[in-house]
Amino acid sequence: MLNNGNFMSYFEIIGGKKLNGEIEVKGAKNAALKAVAAALLSKEKWTITNFPFIEDTNRILEMIEDLGVKVVRRKNKVEIEARTIKKNNLDEDLTKKLRASIILAGPMLARTGRVEMYHPGGCVIGKRPIDMFLDGFKKMGAKLKQREDEFVLSAEGLGGARIFFPKISVTGTETMMMTAVLAKGETILENAAMEPEIPMLAEFLNKCGAKIRGAGTPAIRIKGVKKIGGGKLDLIPDRIETGTFAILGALAGGKIRIKKCNPDHIRALLVNLEKAGVRIKEKKKELTVEGTEKLRPVNLTTHEYPGFATDLQPPFTLLMTQAKGTSLIHDSIFDGRLMFTEALNLMGANVIMNDPHRVTVNGPAKLHGRKIASPDLRAGITLVMAGLIAKGKTRIENIYQIDRGYEKIEERLKKLGADIRRIEK
Ligand code: EPU
């Protein structure tokens, strides 16, 4: 049964409570989505543990079930067995709703030789180009037929290719890596993305019989193999959740202990939090962050990994509204990622949009609660955090966008002392 999510529910937040205590990080959304796609490469069973059950992962599981793949959901894990793939077309509604649906194209093409799909969409930043995917598939021997936002890829057998990405792309790198695993011959990916989700996936694929070298560096070499076996994959912790909770600690702690995380994956954030005057204690899988009233402004430019993640830019921009002085924030990756600052201004912030990629933040600003809608996932959680530090009541609508990436967020925040309620409609 395809589920279209509930768009009417909202969060009601009473701000101003100091947050204290422990919060555990879930498995990485952006690793889970790719692991589900990669499971299509194998006829054998994949068990994916530390699996986050959030709206985006629910949607991708529904999409592969629609292809006839067996999916068993258990507590914190999922079993996937793609013995056969019965369809070549991806569900139109779900594809248009989930940008990440594009990552199914490569494994489907590699397994069945054909994929029919629509241009993927999603939130305000979701509908972005897919030219690098299409160029990559063509280099590997696929034929492309395109009509407006519908396209059909077909191949009688994919071959290795040398692919240089004109722009670094996370899902582009993952897609070409997965597709090349079953292609004949060697594929070389250059100017590849290095996000930690990529070596995680490559290491597991290698355990299942793939021959991938260099994942986690800008040059990845893949020797095609005939088959990929089954196995058990434990997902890495979600680095964006980790970073979001660290910023929350800086804004609204008290003292927040973030457990089951990997601090090395958010080094660029930690360095900038320290520059801003935030006190952080670090252990191997744990961070403790304390709130501070004396925040310093920090200028920031987002960058591909290991640089400062664009997904952490919205909460960091919120943090800067509380720093004394002026900071410049430059989101170099996506257009539209700074649009949410209009909502922060409605809550009392002083953020000036210089151009679609740059804002000037003047602080500190006293925020007040109000009714607001969540434009996308990372902006959505940022507005929740703004509500938690604002005076009075905030109502956040379109929380489907937040549920896309953060599992039962209000229950976890309540355990820290937050006054937040989900109102179901
Ligand atoms: N781009 C193109 N052509 C393409 C593909 C991408 O021009 O064919 C452009 C994009 O428009 C963007 C840039 O390349 O300007 C980089 O985008 P990238 O392809 O790296 O983004 P993505 O792979 O679609 C992933 C994450 C995003 C995260 C970005 C950047 C997943 C499912 N999504 O997106 O996560 O922001 O990398 O790190 O892995 C999120 O979790 O909220 C989220 C948006």
Side-chain angles (χ1 to χ4, degrees), residues 29-31 33-34 56 99-100 102-103 123 125 128-134 167-172 174 193 195 197 239-240 303-305 309-311 332-335 337 376-378 404:
K29 164 178 89 80
N30 288 342
L33 293 167
K34 314 336 161 28
D56 273 12
R99 160 78 188 179
I102 184 72
I103 53 161
C123 59
I125 59 158
R128 33 192 196 267
I130 54 166
D131 52 304
M132 291 194 279
F133 296 79
L134 301 179
K167 200 169 178 182
I168 298 173
S169 167
V170 178
T171 42
E174 291 161 329
E195 271 67 4
E197 294 77 25
R239 64 196 160 88
I240 306 303
H303 198 281
E304 293 85 4
Y305 191 83
T310 169
D311 295 338
S332 60
I333 312 282
F334 294 126
D335 295 332
R337 258 264 153 104
D376 69 68
L377 168 60
R378 308 303 176 189
R404 283 182 45 213

Side-chain angles (χ1 to χ4, degrees), residues 332-387:
S332 60
I333 312 282
F334 294 126
D335 295 332
R337 258 264 153 104
L338 286 160
M339 295 303 281
F340 81 99
T341 54
E342 280 174 23
L344 289 184
N345 284 347
L346 292 173
M347 296 178 78
N350 179 354
V351 183
I352 299 160
M353 180 80 69
N354 305 329
D355 66 51
H357 286 275
R358 289 172 188 78
V359 291
T360 302
V361 185
N362 296 305
K366 282 203 165 51
L367 302 185
H368 48 80
R370 61 166 291 150
K371 186 168 142 187
I372 224 120
S374 164
D376 69 68
L377 168 60
R378 308 303 176 189
I381 192 72
T382 302
L383 295 179
V384 168
M385 290 157 70

